[in-house]
Amino acid sequence: MSVLIDKFDVFAGGFWLTLQICVLAAIGALILGAVVAVLRISPVPPLRAVGTAYVNTFRNLPLTVVMFFAAFGLPALGSNADFLRIPVLDSLFNRLGTDLPYFRFALIALVLYTAAFVCEALRSGVNAVPAGQAEAARSLGLTFGQNLRYVVLPQSWKASIVPLGSVIIAMIKNSALIGFFGVVGDLSATADQLTGAEGYAFIPVAIGISIGYLIMTVPLGALLDRIEKRQAVAR
Amino acid sequence: MTTGEPLIVLDSVNKWFGPLHVLDEVSLSVGRGEVVVVIGPSGSGKSTLCRTINRLEPINSGAITFDGQPLPAEGKALAKLRSEVGMVFQSFNLFAHKTILENVTLGPIKVRKEKPAVARERAMALLDRVGIANQADKFPAQLSGGQQQRAAIARALAMQPKAMLFDEPTSALDPEMVGEVLDVMTSLASDGMTMVVVTHEMGFARHAANRVIFMADGQLVEDAPPAEFFANPRSERAKDFLSKILTH
Ligand SMILES: Nc1ncnc2c1ncn2[C@@H]1O[C@H](COP(=O)(O)OP(=O)(O)OP(=O)(O)O)[C@@H](O)[C@H]1O
Ligand SMILES: [Mg+2]
């Protein structure tokens, strides 16, 4: 087990990188997912169709395939995803601004994929609001946007928050894939490095990595449990 | 009672839910200040008729005009039209996360862009008119059904609508609360509000309505003044319907 102490800096580095991509991907997926959710519930049929097509595509493809498209498709299109080199953000999350584009590619794939699930979590919250609420708002003359803002969303976020949390936890675990698509040094890639190149025993390394993921996921899960209990009491 | 051109006109309106023909060549016109009560057996299309008038349900063919204008399609113009037509639902549909006062002021503030103080003042006057001014700061769940429905009427009136649609406003109420809601509606009717009311309250139909419309299987079967309709309904369907509800 000494590897946990000897190679603490490697684990910590992997943890930090995984945390970075997860924070960025969570922000991206929440924003994109919200946009897709608005499309899916919009009164305009073509917009609804776009939203539905998006969800059906990304929810039903394996993340690996989406990663493949991002890692091999974007370069083939001549893109290095440089639009993600966002000033300020890239000094906080240093991999965002590197010349090697794989972190950005992986981030895009994770965002695209997770946004489909975020959309559905938000929509399940909206569906939990009785249809009569939105109908009453429409009959007063509120526009679609006003209806969402003043009537539906204030009542739906409560029902969305727990499924959203589950989506983010799943995303953190899914991020373990990025090591296979050229991102060097995330938490799961740490295993490869330590057991392969440096010859450490597998089990202790795996335990170290598990601890890293659990540090991110367990508090989130506990928070969700608390929110869920509070909502149960309020009901 | 009726003056000038009618306020609401339905011309050969057809509506299908899938294979179900819910509105079958329905033509109807409602004059300004007129009170039209819609009755008929369950599933005959009364709610659907009511909901087509502010386009909560779009129609498949035919035409509907409100105040001389054809109903606009989705968008700003439709929102404006809806703001001019008050709607009261069977299940009240008060905004659950807002107080009664906020329920009544939301439309005037957000749709009409009124100053909050102005909207509040009129809201309080309306709540007073329907007898629940003392409930203004409570949430809908804290009120009785009858109080909630009166709040919902006040919410619709706050938009100063040209017409009011009621879809079985008293059907979800305990019997002892029906009267308080009907009283408010009767006073609205006598103030000259144009009203389309789907209801099973035959007393209200007799006393407050100018016309009674009887629907069956999506068709408008009879259209007559209440005295005439109740004394001698012409169709078998209406006779049958009346014999069923009046014996209870
Ligand atoms: N959204 C919908 N989708 C499919 N069918 C519907 C829908 N709304 C209503 N219907 C059907 O259309 C028919 C007419 O419904 P509607 O609600 O207008 O009847 P109603 O006269 O108001 O009946 P009730 O007295 O029970 O309220 C019914 O058979 C109903 O099942
Ligand atoms: Mg009905």
Side-chain angles (χ1 to χ4, degrees):
Chain A
M1 294 299 275
S2 63
V3 61
L4 295 186
I5 294 154
D6 297 347
K7 292 292 168 182
F8 180 78
D9 56 333
V10 179
F11 284 110
F15 177 84
W16 170 227
L17 187 64
T18 292
L19 189 65
Q20 279 188 43
I21 198 161
C22 287
V23 168
L24 288 170
I27 295 170
L30 285 174
I31 295 171
L32 182 60
V35 171
V36 179
V38 170
L39 291 180
R40 275 208 84 175
I41 58 178
S42 112
V44 186
L47 295 183
R48 272 207 304 274
V50 170
T52 308
Y54 182 94
V55 170
N56 283 337
T57 307
F58 287 102
R59 194 173 52 173
N60 295 319
L61 281 176
L63 175 57
T64 328
V65 173
V66 181
M67 290 258 177
F68 261 115
F69 271 111
F72 299 105
L74 284 175
L77 291 172
S79 169
N80 259 346
D82 286 328
F83 64 92
L84 282 176
R85 294 183 162 192
I86 305 162
V88 185
L89 254 194
D90 67 0
S91 56
L92 210 60
F93 300 93
N94 50 342
R95 284 292 183 98
L96 215 47
T98 54
D99 288 333
L100 268 181
Y102 294 108
F103 181 88
R104 293 192 293 275
F105 291 160
L107 178 61
I108 289 173
L110 209 49
V111 166
L112 288 176
Y113 179 82
T114 308
F117 295 89
V118 167
C119 164
E120 292 305 276
L122 292 173
R123 219 166 55 94
S124 76
V126 167
N127 288 341
V129 178
Q133 297 284 304
E135 221 160 58
R138 277 194 284 156
S139 74
L140 280 178
L142 269 72
T143 60
F144 173 69
Q146 290 176 321
N147 196 340
L148 276 184
R149 178 156 167 218
Y150 302 116
V151 176
V152 176
L153 291 182
Q155 299 187 70
S156 76
W157 69 267
K158 279 186 192 152
S160 295
I161 196 113
V162 170
L164 267 184
S166 305
V167 167
I168 299 303
I169 289 176
M171 188 203 74
I172 293 172
K173 296 188 291 177
N174 287 338
S175 77
L177 265 181
I178 66 175
F180 299 103
F181 292 90
V183 179
V184 180
D186 83 309
L187 197 48
S188 67
T190 307
D192 256 5
Q193 187 196 332
L194 292 178
T195 56
E198 306 194 24
Y200 283 96
F202 180 75
I203 302 276
V205 171
I207 289 175
I209 286 164
S210 305
I211 292 171
Y213 280 106
L214 292 176
I215 289 173
M216 287 180 264
T217 51
V218 168
L220 207 60
L223 182 70
L224 293 183
D225 282 345
R226 273 194 56 180
I227 294 173
E228 210 169 3
K229 281 210 189 80
R230 268 232 304 270
Q231 288 183 353
V233 170
R235 229 181 271 127
Chain B
M1 194 52 94
T2 312
T3 53
E5 63 168 11
L7 186 60
I8 304 169
V9 181
L10 284 77
D11 184 20
S12 303
V13 167
N14 284 288
K15 162 97 191 162
W16 280 269
F17 282 122
L20 192 66
H21 202 171
V22 260
L23 294 179
D24 185 354
E25 290 290 320
V26 173
S27 294
L28 167 71
S29 87
V30 181
R32 289 163 206 278
E34 223 180 357
V35 177
V36 173
V37 162
V38 182
I39 65 174
S42 179
S44 54
K46 308 180 298 291
S47 298
T48 308
L49 174 76
C50 203
R51 293 160 56 85
T52 57
I53 295 172
N54 64 356
R55 211 170 185 276
L56 280 183
E57 296 286 358
I59 57 176
N60 296 108
S61 72
I64 302 179
T65 54
F66 183 82
D67 203 9
Q69 303 292 321
L71 290 199
E74 221 40 76
K76 284 253 151 52
L78 181 60
K80 179 166 188 305
L81 171 116
R82 284 180 178 148
S83 74
E84 293 174 350
V85 184
M87 181 146 203
V88 176
F89 302 86
Q90 179 173 352
S91 47
F92 328 132
N93 295 349
L94 290 172
F95 304 130
H97 62 304
K98 293 191 175 293
T99 65
I100 297 303
L101 182 62
E102 289 167 347
N103 263 274
V104 180
T105 55
L106 182 72
I109 294 174
K110 299 304 175 193
V111 177
R112 290 279 156 72
K113 317 287 183 206
E114 287 180 25
K115 290 216 171 67
V118 176
R120 263 199 302 276
E121 195 174 326
R122 199 172 63 250
M124 285 312 296
L126 283 167
L127 288 174
D128 191 44
R129 171 171 179 186
V130 301
I132 50 169
N134 55 349
Q135 311 289 326
D137 295 323
K138 291 192 182 163
F139 285 91
Q142 296 171 289
L143 269 59
S144 74
Q147 290 172 325
Q148 288 190 53
Q149 194 60 299
R150 287 183 278 155
I153 294 173
R155 175 176 69 179
L157 290 175
M159 300 302 287
Q160 301 173 309
K162 293 176 181 161
M164 290 278 286
L165 310 172
F166 295 81
D167 187 6
E168 302 204 29
T170 58
S171 298
L173 298 178
D174 291 337
E176 74 270 21
M177 295 172 187
V178 170
E180 63 197 46
V181 172
L182 290 180
D183 285 348
V184 170
M185 291 168 58
T186 308
S187 107
L188 258 184
S190 56
D191 281 358
M193 175 61 79
T194 308
M195 295 163 62
V196 174
V197 186
V198 178
T199 185
H200 295 298
E201 296 297 330
M202 294 305 139
F204 179 82
R206 278 178 201 279
H207 300 122
N210 302 105
R211 278 155 63 202
V212 173
I213 284 183
F214 176 73
M215 287 190 71
D217 294 332
Q219 291 173 336
L220 200 156
V221 179
E222 291 201 36
D223 180 346
E228 192 183 315
F229 177 78
F230 288 111
N232 44 40
R234 275 167 286 139
S235 65
E236 282 306 314
R237 303 283 316 247
K239 277 179 200 154
D240 187 46
F241 178 76
L242 284 177
S243 72
K244 278 187 188 129
I245 55 163
L246 295 179
T247 50
H248 290 303

